[in-house]
Amino acid sequence: MNFLALKDLRVTTQREVIIDTVFSTEEHFTAEQLLEWARKRDNSVSRATVYRTLPLLTESGLVHEMDFGKPYKFYDPNYSDHPNHNHIICDDCEKIVEFESDKIDQLEEKIGGDLGFTVTSKHVQLTASCDKLKRSGSCKNKPV
Ligand SMILES: [Zn+2]
Ligand SMILES: [Zn+2]
């Protein structure tokens, strides 16, 4: 809300609903998922407002945008709480799991150091097949 005020943007009811929705989930989401959740709270939330609000949240640094090479982006609502976590995504159902790894952290520091750099930010994104996909050839929880 402070960020919106700084940017001279009005906190409209729609925006407030969207922001409340974003920060009441721990899940990673797409713009369409966010729209669906926000509309459960307030049916008047428009798709356009969701798509206009997301870049503001990304710019504020509170929400982290992720590109897994899909036609749409994913958003991470709890990024500012633990900015060092990594992600693995199922190529089929798009389930996203977070992980942290000291070994990866150390390796990245070493690679950076060896090349004369100090690593300041990093994002490891793995695309994979979840157990369900491996067993049955598809994920039942695949989004439509
Ligand atoms: Zn995450
Ligand atoms: Zn899957």
Side-chain angles (χ1 to χ4, degrees), residues 28 76 78 85 87 98:
H28 301 70
D76 192 337
N78 56 4
H85 71 270
H87 298 97
E98 298 189 342

Side-chain angles (χ1 to χ4, degrees), residues 90-95 130 132-133 139 141:
C90 172
D91 211 12
D92 196 35
C93 67
E94 299 180 348
K95 176 188 165 76
C130 70
K132 214 174 194 173
L133 176 58
C139 302
N141 47 341

